[in-house]
Amino acid sequence: MDLTVANLSREQALSLTERFLSARFADADFAFVAGSIMRGTGTPSSDIDLVVLHSTLPHAHRESEVFEGVPFEALVHDDGTLRWFLEADVEAGRPVLIRMVTEGVPIGPRPQRADALRREAEALLIKGPPQLDREALDRMRYVISSMLIDLADERPEFERVAIGAALYQALGDFILRNNGQWSGASKWLPRQVRAFDPVLGDAFIAAFDALFREGETRPILDCTEQVFVPHGGLLFDGYRADALAKWRK
């Protein structure tokens, strides 16, 4: 049987990862093993995600490798670089690395710092992303409104899909960040919207499904108008955004 994340048991994945860590990161103190295999949701295309911790490094890096037939994605850090990237997750509003540390299983020869680092990541996850101010939310609302105006025109299918793809991320970000929630990207975005509000999440998913499958734009407009009602609706006429005075050469 070919080894894939989909047919590896949790115990097999941890054993394989121990061998990978010894072979490729012999100087590492420990690693957090994360990703779909640890959640029991692995698919044939999944990889095993690692956050590898050293005592000290000149800089962080990432490595991808197939080991014993299974793909691994390793984010390699020391404590200082890990904390920098955790804070970058906070600023971006997307807790990718934060979740890997909080959900990951520590393995390796010197895992003594794992609990303390996990507690730091958990505190960031519980605190949530920084609240966006009115200016930031209006800017997002303006961009989304402009996309909807473009989407309403008669366009070639490839342009409609391109606009829809950008709108998918922008509207999902607005829904989540406006409500103080962590956002996501790609497959995580609809999961996050649905976890926050199952009814709105289903409407969000159905609206973009109608666009990408059938070219229907009305469901997206209806969904967006519903989201924007508390904020005064779509925003275009009268919108102004000032650049900083120092933005000049």
Side-chain angles (χ1 to χ4, degrees):
M1 181 176 65
D2 292 335
L3 283 179
T4 69
V5 171
N7 58 40
L8 280 176
S9 70
R10 183 183 173 98
E11 292 71 26
Q12 287 174 320
L14 288 172
S15 177
L16 175 62
T17 305
E18 289 271 15
R19 297 196 297 276
F20 176 74
L21 194 66
S22 296
R24 300 294 184 263
F25 299 101
D27 295 334
D29 292 338
F30 67 97
F32 292 103
V33 189
S36 56
I37 183 61
M38 295 294 105
R39 296 189 299 270
T41 58
T43 68
S45 63
S46 296
D47 55 20
I48 294 179
D49 297 319
L50 294 181
V51 183
V52 181
L53 270 298
H54 291 258
S55 297
T56 184
L57 286 174
H59 53 77
H61 65 279
R62 69 189 303 157
E63 296 186 26
S64 300
E65 183 173 341
V66 177
F67 180 80
E68 296 186 20
V70 174
F72 282 81
E73 185 79 29
L75 307 179
V76 187
H77 290 278
D78 60 24
D79 292 14
T81 65
L82 179 68
R83 290 187 174 104
W84 192 94
F85 278 89
L86 292 176
E87 289 294 336
D89 269 12
V90 172
E91 290 302 313
R94 299 178 186 175
V96 178
L97 184 59
I98 291 174
R99 290 195 189 280
M100 291 177 69
V101 174
T102 58
E103 298 174 358
V105 176
I107 63 169
R110 295 174 294 280
Q112 292 87 348
R113 306 193 313 280
D115 284 344
L117 290 171
R118 177 186 284 117
R119 286 194 297 271
E120 290 183 33
E122 286 175 343
L124 294 174
L125 189 64
I126 292 169
K127 183 178 180 181
Q131 186 65 45
L132 297 180
D133 60 23
R134 175 49 50 193
E135 182 180 358
L137 290 172
D138 280 350
R139 182 167 57 250
M140 295 171 75
R141 189 158 57 105
Y142 172 78
V143 169
I144 291 168
S145 299
S146 297
M147 290 181 189
L148 286 172
I149 292 169
D150 286 341
L151 198 59
D153 291 339
E154 288 291 333
R155 292 182 176 278
E157 182 178 359
F158 69 88
E159 289 187 5
R160 187 169 60 247
V161 170
I163 296 167
L167 181 59
Y168 163 85
Q169 184 67 56
L171 182 58
D173 281 338
F174 183 90
I175 291 170
L176 293 165
R177 297 301 305 280
N178 175 57
N179 289 283
Q181 303 293 308
W182 292 107
S183 191
S186 187
K187 62 190 178 188
W188 281 100
L189 186 65
R191 295 176 186 176
Q192 294 290 97
V193 175
R194 182 178 268 167
F196 164 64
D197 184 329
V199 174
L200 178 57
D202 286 345
F204 176 87
I205 292 167
F208 283 97
D209 191 56
L211 174 67
F212 294 133
R213 290 181 184 272
E214 303 164 15
E216 293 291 333
T217 59
R218 186 72 237 178
I220 289 179
L221 181 59
D222 291 343
C223 180
T224 307
E225 287 179 341
Q226 175 189 348
V227 170
F228 282 177
V229 163
H231 307 279
L234 300 181
L235 177 60
F236 182 82
D237 187 27
Y239 175 73
R240 170 175 168 154
D242 292 327
L244 296 178
K246 66 181 180 180
W247 290 0
R248 64 175 68 239
K249 286 288 188 181

